Amino acid sequence: MNRAEDRDGETGRSFPSSPDGGERRNQALLRQAFVLIASFAVVEIIGGILSNSLTLLADAGHMVLDAAALGLAWGALWLSRRPATASLTYGHHRVQVMAAFLNGLALALLVLWILKEAFERFVEPQAMAPVPALIVATIGLIVNLIAYRWLDHGQDNINVQAAALHVLGDLLGSLAAITAALTVHFTGWTRVDPLLALLIAAILIRGTWRVLKASGHLLLQGAPNTVSTNDLRTALAATPGVIDVHDLHVWGLTAERPVATLHVRIADGADRQSVTAALKAALREGFGVAHSTIQLERGECPDCAIPSQVHEPR
């Protein structure tokens, strides 16, 4: 298994050396993207009304939703930096995961809305003024490219991933609006709009599923993708003085903040402080687990005779 500063062999992602520094960067990226997208959403609404372009108005609706998602993600990262309290002993980091899940649900609703609009426009084509629509859509494409490029620098964070998918959906909407305006201008064929909308929906479905799956996995206290529990167990069991590792549980406050609890049976002559230090180092340096709770045991585990609904995976 690679060290914390190396790339994970399966995901290709790097373990962040400074989660707080990464969160500050992601918060700045989300703030910039929110201001840019929210500002242009107003411009696109006005342009859609003046050109009587349903495609632009639909894309403006996407941008309003994007702005809301970016604002939610930005607020979630800000809130997650608040210190822990007596009732929230792990702090507010989980707000990021909740926001990502809500963004994923919003994306799912957006896909359903696109499918509905595509069907209605295919049945009843709408007239539009292609030239004004083309101008506004082109500016929108540039704006979304800038915002997506900003957010691409924060793709190691699931919350930023969800926000980037919103912007990607709007970027595709701008491309669809440009294509529709050009097609209507040169051919008069208005049914190109619903056909392109279906393509956008197909692309977004895959991304929506990934966000919901990843955030739902963390909400269910699943192990982050950067940590293999089998590799972790093997590495810890090889620590000098360790006889057995059991009741191992790994989950993530966020995808970048894995947490672990475990029971370790040690040899009679093993020094408890030295074994604990070695286990902590293996968790931190080999798997990026900076926070762990370790119960050292000599002899039988005192919890084995106590019935519990929380069981270690077999």
Side-chain angles (χ1 to χ4, degrees):
M1 183 70 183
N2 298 334
R3 291 174 63 85
E5 65 270 23
D6 295 333
R7 287 188 175 275
D8 178 77
E10 295 180 0
T11 65
R13 296 178 182 173
S14 300
F15 293 121
S17 57
S18 175
D20 290 330
E23 288 179 4
R24 284 193 295 269
R25 177 201 60 185
N26 290 331
Q27 186 176 340
L29 292 173
L30 288 168
R31 181 180 64 250
Q32 293 174 194
F34 168 74
V35 172
L36 184 64
I37 295 296
S39 300
F40 187 76
V42 177
V43 175
E44 195 165 34
I45 291 173
I46 296 173
I49 294 174
L50 294 178
S51 65
N52 195 31
S53 170
L54 291 178
T55 305
L56 270 185
L57 288 174
D59 193 42
H62 297 176
M63 295 198 76
V64 170
L65 183 59
D66 294 344
L70 289 166
L72 177 63
W74 174 23
L77 277 180
W78 172 81
L79 186 60
S80 70
R81 292 176 55 79
R82 297 180 61 185
T85 65
S87 59
L88 294 173
T89 56
Y90 276 115
H92 299 75
H93 299 291
R94 267 295 174 87
V95 175
Q96 297 182 49
V97 183
M98 293 174 61
F101 188 76
L102 290 175
N103 282 347
L105 291 177
L107 278 167
L109 293 175
L110 173 60
V111 169
L112 292 176
W113 182 82
I114 291 175
L115 294 176
K116 172 182 174 293
E117 287 294 312
F119 174 77
E120 292 179 354
R121 293 178 190 180
F122 194 83
V123 173
E124 297 182 7
Q126 299 291 325
M128 62 180 288
V131 175
L134 177 61
I135 295 174
V136 177
T138 301
I139 298 174
L141 176 64
I142 297 172
V143 167
N144 283 298
L145 283 172
I146 294 172
Y148 187 75
R149 178 60 180 169
W150 286 344
L151 295 174
D152 189 52
H153 291 292
Q155 287 291 292
D156 59 333
N157 180 278
I158 188 175
N159 211 32
V160 180
Q161 290 177 30
L165 278 172
H166 276 277
V167 176
L168 176 60
D170 206 42
L171 191 152
L172 294 174
S174 296
L175 286 174
I178 291 173
T179 303
L182 289 173
T183 302
V184 172
H185 180 70
F186 288 107
T187 69
W189 186 46
T190 57
R191 283 190 170 88
V192 67
D193 280 349
L195 293 178
L196 291 174
L198 290 176
L199 176 62
I200 294 172
I203 295 174
L204 286 179
I205 285 174
R206 180 174 180 270
T208 300
W209 170 246
R210 289 175 59 186
V211 169
L212 286 174
K213 181 180 179 181
S215 56
H217 180 74
L218 288 176
L219 288 175
L220 290 173
Q221 294 187 308
N225 292 332
T226 54
V227 180
S228 167
T229 54
N230 291 331
D231 292 344
L232 179 58
R233 185 191 306 276
T234 300
L236 296 179
T239 303
V242 172
I243 297 176
D244 175 58
V245 176
H246 56 280
D247 279 351
L248 172 63
H249 300 281
V250 183
W251 69 98
L253 297 179
T254 67
E256 303 82 29
R257 291 179 178 269
V259 178
T261 64
L262 58 148
H263 291 198
V264 179
R265 184 182 178 188
I266 62 175
D268 291 337
D271 179 70
R272 300 175 68 91
Q273 190 67 23
S274 299
V275 172
T276 300
L279 291 170
K280 293 275 188 179
L283 285 164
R284 181 177 61 255
E285 299 174 6
F287 300 89
V289 180
H291 183 87
S292 58
T293 302
I294 303 174
Q295 177 173 307
L296 298 182
E297 303 166 348
R298 299 188 194 273
E300 294 297 324
C301 173
D303 292 333
C304 292
I306 302 176
S308 174
Q309 294 182 351
V310 179
H311 299 287
E312 183 181 12
R314 298 181 181 276

